[in-house]
């Protein structure tokens, strides 16, 4: 497979990024499985370019012809922006000359791109002013690039419009190997006529050099095969400025000449020796390829040429263009430059360790002699190649520009090497910058996981984070029932694995309900809603989060019993003071009596229950939550309080609480409508691992502010009295409340290790008497219907098995 230089792939990337955006290129690059950056002077496999084109067609939903044509138009503009504008403009004065000299341009570029395998072009002018463009390439399927390039050239350089249609596509028999040969019919007209015809709705017409009457009868487009005679429609050749000047030149006795006619001598006034020395690498051969004449330096390198009766194809082969070594094939490509290479077995023994000699030059047909004159020079790109062939600058004729080309190209090769090194360094820096950005994101994510984002940003900037008062928030505490007994009967690694499994699930729930995780100590987990970003739905968020904790805990296995663990959850809502404490391992802590009351709600809770304070009850009532009154209980340090148990949320499904879709959870529509009841064990199919599922954030009535709240540091005059920061008021989990507040009745509830606590204190029994109620009568009726539907354990199991 022929190599493709990075210049082509870079142009394709630039096209995608400029027309469709960086994201499209990233997706295209990933689908094709190629690198992001290509070095200009480095060659790549053709498969990379073909794969990019194929994936672009799939991604954009267009045919390859459209992509290739657009690439051809963009490639012309990309070459101009890359510094080839002036070089392209000097190729020819019209489209025919420009196309005819494309091979010469490729030959020049081959000095820099040594492995370049460019296509070849041949042009035939038709009597009607159109032309046939023959396109030869070793790469199949890329011919549609040509109309894009030629069309852009005609529009930009020659202010004209063209149409190109394929009239023939075949395997070229006159070229060695299987090469693609596509013939285009090119029709050209001025852009001004195209614009005027587009306004009037008429088709563009080719301009003829015939009279106006004949012009009306001229054919607009023709699709006749090549072998048929074409109509006599031609373009009016727009005389350029220089043609008009030449028409006014006066020579001799005042005669006005309309064209230049050269004057030839009667005889050639140069002797053979001088000619052979002046052109030391020329060859003259006839139609049978018999050599009649050769330059002196060429005879010295290939001594067999001193025998003027040899056949040229026995000692040389044609490298470019890839045609068979016959007079007819050579004459067909007479306007192309020809590269001939010697056969190794025909050179002297001294050339066995040297590269083959290559000649590059022009073929000129001499009809009077029926011979071809090949005027050539050694094809050398650098001083190194000159030395490898044991040649010197003096071997090249003084008038031959190859001398200057070798010296200039030597400097250019050095600049190219430097440019390649700079591109490699640039690519290395880009990759390092990418890795640095990835590491920075990881560091920031880790920091934001430990502190609120606005707090972390202030600390990074070296600023002091002032404490702020939040007048409304909801705090949650939770712990594992009989955690002390579990620790005494298990290996430490089992405890770590159990807690990690539980905390991973809880952490995901914080993302679903957008609450802030304050910290964890042992089995205790602390969460706050409405801090550090105030929201009006803080109580609803934390309540749904608590319901999700009960669900998630059933997926965590008790290493002692092999069943699910049990947790207790307590909630309380009032104002708190929040701030950062410490310099090393700084923590964002909460201060105030609210924290202590929330901790008391958790320590006085029953297994697998969500314990609410009166303030939380007031915040949640009439919002779709089913709440059961517990009654008055004695709370340490608070006296007697009327508390409540949160049962479920009628407005959302378990899947929504867990941040999962029904499809991901494997639960049908009927089951997704069932309300959550903490006391009912769900089938194992619903307790599948959700570690790798995509979480769906739950929507609430309010929206979080993009910017953190302004901290209002309470001054001593207006600040409410704050108790000393002892175990009663310190806003952290570094307390022994869980051990101090464990009452004797609660320890009795767990006398059978690993089983749900079923005993209640007298206060609990009083709280669960006939005064227990649903917040509203409507909720009570809904609860009755749900309980009736879920009355039988077998019915519940059957539903889940069917689903």
């Amino acid at each position: 497979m022929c190599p493709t230089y990075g210049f082509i792939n870079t142009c394709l990337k630039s096209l995608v990024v400029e027309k469709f955006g960086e994201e499209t290129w990233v997706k295209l690059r990933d689908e094709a499985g190629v690198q992001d950056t290509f070095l200009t002077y480095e060659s790549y496999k053709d498969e990379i370019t073909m794969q990019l084109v194929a994936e672009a067609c799939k991604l954009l939903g267009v045919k390859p012809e459209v992509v290739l044509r657009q690439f051809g138009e963009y490639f012309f503009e990309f070459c101009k922006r890359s510094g080839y504008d002036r070089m392209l403009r000097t190729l020819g004065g019209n489209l025919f000359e420009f196309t005819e000299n494309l091979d010469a341009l490729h030959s020049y570029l081959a000095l820099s791109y040594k492995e370049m395998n460019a296509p070849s072009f041949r042009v035939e002018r038709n009597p009607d002013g159109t032309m046939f463009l023959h396109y030869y390439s070793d790469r199949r399927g890329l011919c549609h690039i040509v109309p894009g390039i030629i069309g852009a050239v005609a529009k930009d350089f020659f202010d004209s419009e063209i149409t190109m249609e394929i009239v023939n596509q075949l395997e070229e028999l006159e070229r060695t190997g299987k090469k693609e040969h596509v013939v285009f019919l090119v029709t050209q007209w001025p852009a001004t006529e195209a614009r005027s015809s587009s306004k009037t709705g008429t088709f563009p017409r080719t301009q003829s050099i015939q009279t106006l009457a004949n012009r009306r009868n001229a054919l607009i487009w023709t699709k006749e095969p090549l072998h048929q005679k074409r109509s006599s429609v031609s373009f009016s050749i727009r005389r350029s400025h220089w043609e008009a000047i030449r028409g006014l030149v006066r020579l001799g006795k005042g005669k006005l000449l309309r064209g230049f006619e050269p004057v030839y001598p009667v005889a050639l006034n140069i002797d053979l020796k001088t000619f052979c020395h002046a052109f030391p690498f020329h060859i003259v051969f006839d139609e049978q390829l018999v050599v009649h004449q050769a330059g002196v330096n060429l005879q010295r390198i290939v001594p067999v040429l001193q025998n003027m009766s040899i056949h040229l194809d026995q000692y040389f082969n044609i490298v470019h263009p890839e045609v068979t070594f016959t007079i007819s094939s050579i004459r067909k490509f007479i306007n192309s430059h020809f590269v001939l290479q010697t056969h190794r077995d025909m050179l002297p023994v001294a050339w066995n360790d040297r590269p083959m000699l290559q000649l590059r030059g022009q073929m000129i047909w001499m009809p009077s002699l029926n011979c071809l004159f090949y005027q050539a020079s050694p094809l050398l790109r650098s001083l190194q190649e000159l030395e490898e062939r044991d040649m010197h600058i003096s071997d090249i004729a003084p008038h031959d520009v190859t001398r200057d080309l070798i010296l200039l190209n030597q400097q250019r090769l050095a600049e190219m090497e430097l440019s390649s090194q700079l591109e490699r360094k640039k690519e290395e820096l880009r990759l390092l910058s990418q890795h640095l950005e990835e590491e920075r994101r990881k560091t920031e994510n880790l920091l934001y996981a430990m502190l609120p984002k606005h707090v972390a940003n202030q600390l990074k900037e070296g600023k002091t984070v002032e404490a702020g008062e939040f007048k409304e928030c909801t705090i949650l505490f939770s712990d594992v029932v009989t955690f002390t007994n579990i620790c005494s009967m298990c290996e430490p690694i089992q405890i770590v694995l159990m807690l990690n499994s539980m905390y991973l699930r809880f952490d995901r729930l914080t993302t679903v309900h957008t609450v802030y995780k304050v910290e964890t100590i042992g089995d205790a987990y602390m969460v706050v809603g409405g801090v550090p970003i105030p929201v009006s739905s803080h109580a609803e968020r934390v309540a749904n989060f608590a319901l999700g904790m009960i669900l998630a805990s059933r997926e965590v296995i008790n290493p002692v019993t092999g069943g699910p663990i049990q947790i207790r959850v307590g909630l309380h809502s009032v104002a708190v003071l929040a701030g950062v404490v410490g310099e090393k391992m700084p923590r964002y802590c909460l201060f105030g009596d609210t924290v202590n009351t929330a901790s008391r709600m958790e320590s006085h809770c029953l297994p697998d229950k969500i314990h609410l304070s009166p303030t939380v009850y007031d915040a949640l009532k009439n919002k779709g939550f089913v709440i059961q009154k517990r009654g008055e209980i004695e709370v340490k340090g608070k006296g007697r309080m009327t508390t409540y148990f949160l049962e479920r949320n009628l407005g959302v499904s378990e899947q929504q609480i867990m941040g999962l879709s029904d499809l991901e959870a494997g639960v049908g529509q009927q089951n997704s409508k069932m309300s959550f009841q903490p006391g009912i064990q769900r089938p194992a199919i619903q307790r599948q691992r959700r570690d790798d599922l995509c979480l769906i954030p739950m929507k609430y009535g309010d929206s979080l502010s993009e910017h953190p709240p302004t901290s209002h540091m309470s001054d001593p005059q207006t600040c409410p009295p704050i108790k000393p920061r002892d175990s009663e008021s310190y806003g952290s989990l570094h307390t022994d409340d869980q051990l101090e507040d464990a009452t004797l009745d609660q320890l009795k509830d767990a006398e059978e290790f690993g089983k749900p606590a079923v005993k209640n204190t007298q206060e609990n029994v009083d709280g669960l008497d006939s005064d227990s109620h649903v917040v509203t009568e409507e909720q009570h009726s809904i609860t009755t219907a749900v309980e009736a539907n879920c009355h039988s354990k077998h019915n519940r199991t059957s539903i889940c098995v069917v689903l």
Side-chain angles (χ1 to χ4, degrees), residues 379-505:
L379 182 55
L380 302 171
R381 300 179 180 88
S382 63
L383 295 176
Q384 180 182 354
E385 295 183 1
L386 190 71
E387 294 173 351
E388 288 174 349
R389 290 161 178 77
D390 195 23
M391 296 178 63
H392 303 84
I393 294 291
S394 59
D395 294 331
I396 304 173
H399 63 80
D400 196 339
V401 295
T402 305
R403 286 185 168 208
D404 301 327
L405 187 61
I406 293 174
L407 298 176
L408 292 175
N409 199 52
Q410 183 69 25
Q411 180 181 359
R412 174 164 174 77
L413 291 176
E415 294 175 352
M416 286 172 51
E417 180 62 26
L418 180 60
S419 176
S420 297
Q421 292 179 7
L422 290 176
E423 285 188 352
R424 293 188 183 95
K425 292 298 181 183
K426 179 181 177 182
E427 178 64 12
E428 292 176 4
L429 289 176
R430 188 187 66 83
L431 295 177
L432 288 175
S433 177
Q434 273 188 351
H435 294 158
L436 182 62
E437 182 65 20
E438 291 175 2
E439 294 301 323
R440 186 188 65 81
R441 281 198 300 267
K442 292 179 182 178
T443 304
E444 287 186 348
N445 291 337
L446 181 60
L447 182 61
Y448 296 153
M450 300 173 62
L451 293 169
K453 188 172 182 180
H454 72 280
V455 173
N457 291 334
Q458 290 182 31
L459 291 177
K460 285 196 303 182
E461 295 171 2
K463 299 179 180 179
T464 302
V465 181
E466 297 182 354
E469 182 182 2
F470 296 85
K471 295 183 179 181
E472 291 185 359
C473 71
T474 300
I475 298 177
L476 174 148
F477 278 90
S478 74
D479 71 346
V480 179
V481 177
T482 66
F483 180 70
T484 304
N485 295 337
I486 295 175
C487 292
S488 64
M489 300 178 65
C490 296
E491 295 292 332
I493 186 62
Q494 293 177 293
I495 304 300
V496 172
L497 293 176
M498 180 191 73
L499 292 178
N500 183 61
S501 177
M502 180 178 68
Y503 288 159
L504 282 177
R505 288 166 169 78

Side-chain angles (χ1 to χ4, degrees), residues 2-23:
C2 305
T4 299
Y5 276 90
F7 184 84
I8 304 295
N9 296 332
T10 302
C11 175
L12 183 56
K13 173 187 175 180
S14 179
L15 168 63
V16 175
V17 172
E18 186 173 318
K19 301 292 185 182
F20 306 101
E22 184 72 29
E23 294 181 357

Side-chain angles (χ1 to χ4, degrees), residues 700-755:
Y700 292 89
D702 54 2
S703 59
L704 293 178
S705 304
E706 295 183 0
H707 302 286
T710 304
S711 297
H712 300 286
M713 189 64 183
S714 303
D715 51 48
Q717 291 76 14
T718 59
C719 179
I722 299 176
K723 294 182 179 181
R725 297 174 184 173
D726 54 10
S727 61
E728 294 291 323
S729 61
Y730 185 66
S732 173
L733 287 177
H734 296 274
T735 65
D736 53 357
D737 290 344
Q738 285 74 18
L739 297 179
E740 291 180 357
D741 299 339
T743 64
L744 180 61
D745 293 333
Q746 290 169 328
L747 292 176
K748 289 180 180 179
D749 291 340
E751 61 184 9
E752 291 185 13
F753 174 69
K755 297 182 179 180

Side-chain angles (χ1 to χ4, degrees), residues 461-684:
E461 295 171 2
K463 299 179 180 179
T464 302
V465 181
E466 297 182 354
E469 182 182 2
F470 296 85
K471 295 183 179 181
E472 291 185 359
C473 71
T474 300
I475 298 177
L476 174 148
F477 278 90
S478 74
D479 71 346
V480 179
V481 177
T482 66
F483 180 70
T484 304
N485 295 337
I486 295 175
C487 292
S488 64
M489 300 178 65
C490 296
E491 295 292 332
I493 186 62
Q494 293 177 293
I495 304 300
V496 172
L497 293 176
M498 180 191 73
L499 292 178
N500 183 61
S501 177
M502 180 178 68
Y503 288 159
L504 282 177
R505 288 166 169 78
F506 292 175
D507 290 345
R508 291 187 178 94
L509 286 173
T510 61
T511 302
V512 175
H513 302 285
T514 320
V515 294
Y516 179 68
K517 173 185 175 183
V518 181
E519 59 181 343
T520 58
I521 296 295
D523 65 324
Y525 196 91
M526 180 180 179
V527 163
V528 62
V531 176
I533 302 178
V535 288
S536 60
S537 62
H538 55 87
E540 301 161 56
R541 294 173 185 269
V542 177
N544 286 326
F545 176 81
L547 293 173
M549 292 178 76
I550 300 295
L551 282 174
S553 64
R554 294 171 186 168
E555 301 177 355
V556 182
I557 303 302
N558 187 324
V560 176
T561 65
I565 64 171
Q566 291 181 309
I567 64 172
R568 300 178 299 182
V569 184
L571 281 71
H572 182 55
S573 296
V574 193
V576 295
L577 192 69
V580 178
V581 294
E583 292 182 354
K584 291 189 175 181
M585 295 185 64
R587 301 304 301 269
Y588 189 73
C589 296
L590 307 181
F591 303 94
D593 190 59
T594 305
V595 179
N596 185 58
T597 304
S599 179
R600 294 290 184 263
M601 290 296 100
E602 174 265 320
S603 60
H604 289 71
C605 185
L606 299 179
D608 277 342
K609 291 289 186 178
I610 302 172
H611 201 194
L612 306 181
S613 69
T615 56
V616 180
Y617 168 78
D618 292 337
L620 294 180
K621 66 181 179 181
N622 301 325
K623 292 187 178 179
F625 290 92
V626 177
I627 303 173
Q628 185 181 33
K629 183 179 180 181
R630 183 179 186 181
E632 276 195 359
I633 62 172
E634 185 70 27
V635 179
K636 181 181 178 181
K638 302 296 178 182
R640 299 190 65 80
M641 294 179 60
T642 301
T643 61
Y644 306 84
F645 285 133
L646 175 62
E647 295 291 334
R648 55 189 173 270
N649 186 348
L650 297 176
V652 295
S653 65
E654 293 181 6
Q655 288 69 46
Q656 289 175 301
I657 290 176
M658 300 300 293
L660 305 173
S661 65
D662 291 343
L663 180 61
E664 290 170 332
V667 180
Q669 181 180 3
Q670 179 180 358
N671 195 37
S672 67
K673 295 180 180 179
M674 296 175 61
S675 302
F676 160 65
Q677 290 182 317
I680 299 178
Q681 297 288 338
R682 310 301 294 174

Side-chain angles (χ1 to χ4, degrees), residues 287-306:
E287 294 179 328
Q288 285 73 38
L289 305 182
V290 177
V291 176
H292 293 277
Q293 186 175 315
V296 292
N297 288 347
L298 188 57
Q299 295 179 30
R300 179 175 58 82
I301 298 174
V302 188
V304 72
L305 288 177
Q306 293 181 331

Side-chain angles (χ1 to χ4, degrees), residues 136-366:
Y136 303 89
S137 177
D138 292 333
R139 302 175 178 89
R140 299 181 183 277
L142 300 181
C143 61
H144 296 283
I145 297 178
V146 179
I149 297 177
I150 301 300
V153 170
K155 185 175 182 179
D156 192 329
F157 288 172
F158 308 113
D159 192 25
S160 60
E161 300 287 342
I162 65 167
T163 58
M164 292 184 65
E165 54 180 304
I166 297 177
V167 296
N168 207 343
Q169 189 169 0
L170 47 87
E171 296 293 338
E172 178 58 46
L173 301 178
E174 297 177 352
R175 293 166 62 87
T176 57
K178 296 181 179 180
K179 312 299 179 182
E180 186 176 49
H181 176 197
V182 180
V183 184
F184 294 94
L185 171 63
V186 183
T187 306
Q188 181 182 14
W189 63 90
T192 54
E193 182 176 343
R195 287 191 291 267
S196 61
S197 60
S198 63
K199 294 180 181 179
T200 58
T202 59
F203 290 100
R205 301 178 55 174
T206 57
Q207 292 188 352
S208 173
I209 59 174
Q210 308 293 332
T211 61
L212 183 60
N214 292 334
R215 179 179 176 182
R216 293 174 181 172
N217 297 326
L219 293 178
I220 306 304
W221 290 303
T222 179
K223 298 184 179 180
E224 297 178 357
L226 293 178
H227 61 274
Q228 294 184 7
K229 183 178 180 181
R230 304 187 52 79
S231 58
S232 58
V233 181
S234 61
F235 293 107
S236 65
I237 302 176
R238 302 175 65 193
R239 301 200 314 169
S240 66
H241 174 72
W242 292 111
E243 290 175 339
I245 295 297
R246 284 196 293 267
L248 298 176
V249 175
R250 294 177 177 272
L251 294 177
K253 298 180 180 180
K255 293 182 178 180
L256 189 64
L257 300 181
R258 286 292 178 181
F260 171 74
E261 295 183 3
V263 176
Y264 299 102
V266 178
L268 185 62
N269 296 313
I270 184 174
D271 60 275
L272 291 177
K273 287 186 177 182
T274 303
F275 187 89
C276 291
H277 281 88
F279 303 99
F281 291 95
H282 80 277
I283 304 175
V284 176
F285 56 97
D286 59 17
E287 294 179 328
Q288 285 73 38
L289 305 182
V290 177
V291 176
H292 293 277
Q293 186 175 315
V296 292
N297 288 347
L298 188 57
Q299 295 179 30
R300 179 175 58 82
I301 298 174
V302 188
V304 72
L305 288 177
Q306 293 181 331
N307 183 3
M308 296 303 174
S309 60
I310 66 167
H311 287 267
L312 189 62
D313 57 343
Q314 296 178 355
Y315 299 91
F316 290 86
N317 63 285
I318 300 177
V319 177
H320 179 84
E322 296 180 2
V323 297
T324 55
F325 212 140
T326 61
I327 291 294
S328 60
S329 298
I330 294 174
R331 291 188 62 182
K332 184 173 291 188
F333 291 85
I334 198 71
N335 291 324
S336 301
H337 72 276
F338 280 77
V339 177
L340 270 58
Q341 180 175 287
T342 56
H343 295 305
R344 182 173 295 278
D345 53 354
M346 296 300 177
L347 290 178
V349 180
W351 278 78
N352 290 342
D353 299 330
R354 304 176 190 172
M356 291 294 92
L357 174 67
Q358 287 188 338
L359 302 176
R360 178 183 177 277
Q362 177 186 6
M363 293 285 185
I364 302 175
W365 174 248
M366 299 182 292

